Amino acid sequence: MISYARQNPEEQTDIVPPPADDHIAPAPRVSVQAFCDTVETASMVQAAGEDRRLGKAHLKVQMGGMAAAAEAYRSAPTPNVIVLETDARTDILAGLDQLATVCDPGTRVVVIGRVNDVTLYRELVRRGVSDYVLAPVTPLDVVRSICNLFSAPEAKAVGRIIAVVGAKGGVGASTIAHNVAWAIARDLAMDAVVADLDLAFGTAGLDYNQDPPQGIADAVFSPDRVDTACMDRLLSKCTDHLSLLAAPATLERVYDFGAEAFDAIFDTLRSTMPCIVLDIPHQWSGWTKRALIGADDILIVAAPDLASLRNTKNIFDLLKAARPNDRMPLYCLNQVGIPKRPEINAGEFAKAIESPPVATIPFEPQIFGAAANNGQMIAEISANHKTTEMFLQIAQRLTGRSETKKPKGSFLSPLIEKLRSK
């Protein structure tokens, strides 16, 4: 996959780097070996190997550049991806010609160089180079280049995972997750699935008024059978654009899982659905931590109290350390304005977190209670309610998409339609 765009190749002499991408799909289980000329590039490539999107890739960094690579593969098979750093223009082409004699078919090559010239770029493409990245590079440049080798351009938006988690129990994180997913599906017209990961006490089935006979438990307890056909069978259709992977919400089993228990489920959903909303229960385990760190975007739901503030800060600090190349998580304040309850206001919250909340949702027991008891979303009860608009704004921030514009009607619309039909 070639990632550099050329607007007028005949007139242009410089390579135009690709714009920053909001969504980089994770790389599959591949082997990557890098041969660097400089310590600076080697450290950047090594840092890229720590990124969550290369979590399944096996990355090895060595020094020596083109010459070292050609020598190494004289007696060893080449990996899925070779990353090569070189300085001089002549060294690039000569080195690639030498490497071609020992390179296995199917190996993809990424070149990191300092020569910014489209003529050279064409020569590299002609020799089968998959990508050319201008130095100096950042870890995100390396991550993007490697991951894009395994993503078709038209599928870039597929597989975005959004994780929603409560800063503490009882803050309404599941309700927020379900309503935001509804807004993504209805207002943004994106095919989405809600995965209810609270297998013992999940409420997604109740909130969407669904009672499917199968759900996520059937997949997590049989990971070897998880594939696209299996997911299609387990999904329950809520609307034209929204599906549900429901939790059994029974206590017949003990739901103790290893850290990688949900990996097969998430990988399969990524390959088939543009948007996956994970309703993560408030518990701390290997798999919940892995789900959060592995998500593309994260929403933390907090109440305006001290415990939520402390826990939100802890989650932010953890994610910043574990996801240095990702966007910061978002958080919202929920159940704001409970009568007679002392609260930490949004400004103080923002000062402590060093980030403002994406939304401040007021305490509205009547409409939220009615929605919960009727198995409906807030938008179904009151499409023009201010909270409905908040859910849409959160959905837009998490997906990076704007609202699908709908034509505004008026009292003259019926008359205009009659005139047009004549």
Side-chain angles (χ1 to χ4, degrees):
M1 176 179 183
I2 307 304
S3 66
Y4 286 107
R6 293 166 287 171
Q7 296 175 339
N8 291 306
E10 298 304 323
E11 302 174 1
Q12 185 176 308
T13 57
D14 288 345
I15 300 169
V16 180
D21 193 349
D22 284 339
H23 176 56
I24 302 173
R29 297 184 188 278
V30 293
S31 57
V32 183
Q33 293 184 10
F35 292 84
C36 302
D37 272 338
T38 64
V39 174
E40 291 77 16
T41 298
S43 64
M44 293 297 104
V45 176
Q46 193 68 54
E50 303 298 322
D51 190 277
R52 63 175 179 87
R53 286 157 291 207
L54 293 181
K56 294 181 180 179
H58 178 71
L59 175 64
K60 183 179 180 181
V61 181
Q62 304 173 65
M63 303 301 294
M66 292 271 192
E71 183 63 31
Y73 299 129
R74 290 185 189 280
S75 57
T78 51
N80 301 110
V81 180
I82 302 174
V83 180
L84 302 168
E85 183 193 12
T86 186
D87 287 333
R89 177 194 187 102
T90 54
D91 288 348
I92 296 177
L93 300 179
L96 286 173
D97 291 339
Q98 184 180 9
L99 184 63
T101 63
V102 295
C103 195
D104 297 335
T107 295
R108 307 184 190 196
V109 177
V110 174
V111 175
I112 300 173
R114 287 171 171 77
V115 180
N116 186 10
D117 179 63
V118 75
T119 304
L120 170 64
Y121 176 64
R122 290 176 181 149
E123 287 297 326
L124 296 177
V125 172
R126 193 171 291 117
R127 282 168 166 78
V129 169
S130 299
D131 198 5
Y132 181 65
V133 186
L134 286 173
V137 296
T138 67
L140 189 58
D141 292 332
V142 179
V143 171
R144 181 184 291 110
S145 180
I146 295 173
C147 290
N148 283 356
L149 297 177
F150 303 94
S151 299
E154 65 274 10
K156 280 290 214 83
V158 173
R160 182 187 296 269
I161 288 184
I162 296 170
V164 182
V165 66
K168 68 172 191 175
V171 296
S174 291
T175 299
I176 303 299
H178 305 160
N179 279 275
V180 168
W182 182 273
I184 291 171
R186 188 195 68 165
D187 299 312
L188 304 184
M190 290 180 65
D191 287 333
V193 59
V194 174
D196 191 345
L197 303 184
D198 190 350
L199 273 70
F201 304 106
T203 59
L206 296 175
D207 285 352
Y208 291 122
N209 197 24
Q210 299 283 325
D211 187 22
Q214 295 178 303
I216 195 167
D218 299 271
V220 75
F221 285 113
S222 302
D224 295 338
R225 299 191 307 183
V226 173
D227 56 20
T228 303
C230 173
M231 283 294 105
D232 288 342
R233 187 175 69 253
L234 299 180
L235 289 175
S236 173
K237 198 78 171 175
C238 298
T239 69
D240 287 342
H241 290 290
L242 184 63
S243 299
L244 170 64
L245 193 56
T250 63
L251 303 181
E252 298 171 357
R253 285 174 163 175
V254 175
Y255 303 108
D256 293 331
F257 302 118
E260 300 180 3
F262 290 88
D263 283 9
I265 297 173
F266 297 162
D267 289 346
T268 304
L269 290 175
R270 273 190 188 275
S271 68
T272 57
M273 298 295 293
C275 186
I276 304 101
V277 178
L278 305 182
D279 180 4
I280 298 181
H282 181 71
Q283 66 179 66
W284 197 239
S285 61
W287 70 264
T288 53
K289 179 180 178 182
R290 185 177 177 87
L292 279 176
I293 292 175
D296 296 296
D297 291 279
I298 301 160
L299 175 67
I300 304 166
V301 180
D305 57 36
L306 185 59
S308 284
L309 177 58
R310 179 201 64 186
N311 295 349
T312 301
K313 183 71 166 60
N314 287 342
I315 296 173
F316 259 74
D317 291 344
L318 170 84
L319 294 176
K320 278 195 287 188
R323 298 157 51 95
N325 304 313
D326 282 270
R327 291 183 298 277
M328 291 296 296
L330 302 177
Y331 75 96
C332 69
L333 294 177
N334 191 32
Q335 303 172 349
V336 174
I338 293 180
K340 299 182 180 181
R341 180 182 72 173
E343 295 182 345
I344 298 174
N345 65 44
E348 294 173 328
F349 226 97
K351 184 177 180 180
I353 303 298
E354 300 179 350
S355 175
V358 66
T360 300
I361 302 172
F363 179 61
E364 302 264 12
Q366 187 168 356
I367 190 170
F368 276 87
N373 289 337
N374 294 336
Q376 292 179 299
M377 298 293 101
I378 301 299
E380 292 181 283
I381 293 180
S382 179
N384 297 320
H385 196 274
K386 58 184 177 182
T387 307
T388 301
E389 180 64 25
M390 289 183 184
F391 290 139
L392 174 56
Q393 291 172 358
I394 296 173
Q396 290 171 333
R397 286 287 301 275
L398 288 170
T399 60
R401 294 198 175 190
S402 59
E403 181 181 3
T404 302
K405 299 296 182 183
K406 299 175 183 178
K408 293 184 178 180
S410 73
F411 69 95
L412 293 176
S413 295
L415 177 60
I416 294 173
E417 288 301 320
K418 287 182 180 179
L419 292 174
R420 286 175 176 171
S421 62
K422 289 182 180 181

